[in-house]
Amino acid sequence: MLIYHGSDHIIEKPEYGKGELRNDYGRGFYCTENVELAKEWAVSTGKNGFVNAYNLDNSDLIVLDLNSNDYDILTWLAILVHHRTYWQRHSIAEEAKDYLEKSFYIDVNEYDIIRGYRADDSYFSFAQDFIMGTISLRKLSYAMKLGKLGEQIVLKSSTAFEHITFKGFEDAPTDIYYDLKTQRDKDARRNYRNSRQSDDSAEDIYIIDVIREGMLPGDSRLKI
């Protein structure tokens, strides 16, 4: 597998144990298979960046694919709740976060590789709306596919770091890719606003329904 990491510097040998604890999936090395997305992520501060390319041999690695049919979107959301610290404070939101973490959380530190959504500004705001009870699970699932904001691959274990080989780098000029990143986010937000105006259904599930009904992983009602 060829993966890319956008950064403000060249990283020939990524180091295990580096990175922020409060990232989407905790501490790890965050990459993507999409080189264009990596270039956008590389210029997120508005400065020129680099895309580092690596070969990843994922044979014999334990992979958690949160976008597979084995999981629903609430598993991803529970992991995000566990690692991200900033959430809007509201009575239902507090109860929702507690319920999701208690019922749907998976310890990502038991895996070598994580594959799942990237909760940048847009995705995080969509997730917050669901936690606050203002959008349904159906609309959240739709929102996560807007703007093609990207799927990421995260190296979590020391074993995973031993399975990558540096292949080189490309420049990521901010005068090109910062505008592309901004436009992608704007498109996602615009489409999301339009989707919120669409009619709800009596069958739609909200976070309060998940809590009241005691829904758990594998519940067929959560397969949207």
Side-chain angles (χ1 to χ4, degrees):
M1 179 187 300
L2 188 59
I3 58 175
Y4 304 94
H5 175 81
S7 176
D8 60 358
H9 60 288
I10 299 167
I11 308 174
E12 295 189 19
K13 189 172 179 57
E15 295 182 53
Y16 172 70
K18 300 288 187 179
E20 296 291 332
L21 281 172
R22 297 303 178 185
N23 283 334
D24 297 353
Y25 307 114
R27 183 167 285 155
F29 190 59
Y30 287 71
C31 302
T32 174
E33 291 180 277
N34 187 322
V35 65
E36 293 299 300
L37 275 176
K39 288 179 179 179
E40 292 178 22
W41 298 348
V43 299
S44 59
T45 62
K47 299 178 181 179
N48 291 332
F50 302 93
V51 168
N52 302 275
Y54 310 89
N55 272 339
L56 169 63
D57 177 7
N58 61 357
S59 58
D60 301 323
L61 293 180
I62 304 173
V63 180
L64 173 61
D65 185 354
L66 292 169
N67 290 347
S68 74
N69 291 329
D70 295 331
Y71 303 98
D72 55 62
I73 198 169
L74 295 189
T75 304
W76 167 79
L77 192 53
I79 294 171
L80 195 64
V81 162
H82 180 81
H83 289 109
R84 289 286 199 101
T85 55
Y86 176 74
W87 293 86
Q88 296 178 24
R89 296 191 178 278
H90 185 275
S91 57
I92 184 61
E94 294 300 321
E95 188 175 355
K97 289 184 291 183
D98 290 343
Y99 185 84
L100 288 171
E101 191 163 357
K102 178 182 69 176
S103 304
F104 289 87
Y105 177 70
I106 294 175
D107 186 358
V108 295
N109 293 313
E110 297 179 0
Y111 297 84
D112 299 311
I113 301 289
I114 312 296
R115 181 190 289 270
Y117 291 123
R118 181 178 189 266
D120 62 3
D121 291 346
S122 295
Y123 277 10
F124 192 61
S125 67
F126 304 159
Q128 291 220 74
D129 282 350
F130 178 75
I131 290 288
M132 291 287 290
T134 59
I135 64 169
S136 67
L137 182 64
R138 176 176 59 86
K139 287 186 177 179
L140 174 64
S141 298
Y142 173 74
M144 299 311 295
K145 300 174 177 62
L146 295 174
K148 300 179 180 178
L149 292 175
E151 184 181 77
Q152 58 189 356
I153 296 169
V154 186
L155 280 63
K156 289 291 296 181
S157 69
S158 58
T159 302
F161 280 76
E162 295 169 359
H163 281 64
I164 60 172
T165 305
F166 181 68
K167 300 301 294 182
F169 69 91
E170 295 182 38
D171 292 330
T174 188
D175 60 340
I176 296 175
Y177 287 97
Y178 190 79
D179 287 345
L180 290 173
K181 177 181 182 299
T182 301
Q183 188 60 50
R184 189 188 300 271
D185 184 76
K186 287 181 178 178
D187 289 344
R189 291 180 185 273
R190 183 183 63 252
N191 291 333
Y192 176 60
R193 287 193 299 270
N194 291 337
S195 74
R196 287 195 62 174
Q197 295 172 5
S198 64
D199 292 338
D200 290 320
S201 164
E203 302 299 320
D204 279 345
I205 296 171
Y206 287 79
I207 186 62
I208 191 64
D209 300 312
V210 174
I211 298 171
R212 284 176 176 167
E213 297 292 328
M215 296 183 191
L216 296 172
D219 193 312
S220 60
R221 292 171 292 181
L222 300 175
K223 298 297 182 183
I224 304 297

